[in-house]
Amino acid sequence: MTATLAPDAPELLSPDAQIVRDFLDASMKPDPEKAATYMSDDVVITFTDGAKYDHPSGTTAFNAARYKWVKKKFGQFDVAPGKTETVVYSVGTLYGEWPDGTPFDGNRYVDRFVIRNGKIVKMDVWNESAERILIRQGTRA
């Protein structure tokens, strides 16, 4: 069973989707230490470049090198509960500024989370930033 939940109605979020929402809110501050409280000690985070991290500080450092700043506009949370774990997808867009201060908006993202025993154990991240960077440099992605 999959449920799609609107991000602007937090009272309707399932407990697992709320964990993801709270994690993402902390990540966007950015507060990697607070974000880590929503993750298991053995979490595996696979980021857009295929790099793997075991703490949100790794993704915070990656983002600091790629963007002047970046935030998420939540579109929806798709929740697929299982017997021992739940998969939650957060789908939306990124907005912010490139390192040179040029603003951007509408950069699609999908984050996939696996929740087990109330903690994020796996996170996979995809977005269009690399394609947008190529286009800014005059290369069609």
Side-chain angles (χ1 to χ4, degrees):
M1 175 179 120
T2 298
T4 299
L5 305 168
D8 54 353
E11 69 279 0
L12 300 178
L13 291 178
S14 71
D16 290 328
Q18 190 62 56
I19 290 167
V20 168
R21 172 71 189 256
D22 293 344
F23 164 80
L24 291 172
D25 285 340
S27 295
M28 286 190 295
K29 286 191 189 297
D31 185 347
E33 295 308 317
K34 170 96 174 162
T37 66
Y38 299 100
M39 303 188 125
S40 69
D41 291 338
D42 60 348
V43 68
V44 176
I45 304 166
T46 305
F47 224 54
T48 57
D49 63 344
K52 296 196 183 302
Y53 302 101
D54 60 4
H55 190 275
S57 59
T59 61
T60 299
F62 179 94
N63 284 339
R66 178 172 272 191
Y67 311 104
K68 187 170 186 179
W69 62 272
V70 63
K71 304 287 184 207
K72 292 184 176 186
K73 288 182 189 172
F74 301 125
Q76 65 193 46
F77 293 91
D78 295 329
V79 180
K83 287 186 179 186
T84 61
E85 60 190 30
T86 298
V87 175
V88 178
Y89 288 89
S90 173
V91 179
T93 58
L94 302 176
Y95 67 99
E97 292 182 6
W98 298 112
D100 67 1
T102 303
F104 68 88
D105 195 4
N107 179 340
R108 297 179 305 165
Y109 81 86
V110 176
D111 292 341
R112 180 184 184 271
F113 298 87
V114 177
I115 313 295
R116 192 178 306 131
N117 298 321
K119 295 284 186 176
I120 299 166
V121 298
K122 185 168 178 23
M123 177 183 179
D124 295 291
V125 177
W126 297 274
N127 64 54
E128 297 177 318
S129 291
E131 289 79 9
R132 288 174 175 244
I133 290 168
L134 286 172
I135 290 167
R136 284 176 47 106
Q137 294 174 346
T139 302
R140 191 71 189 146

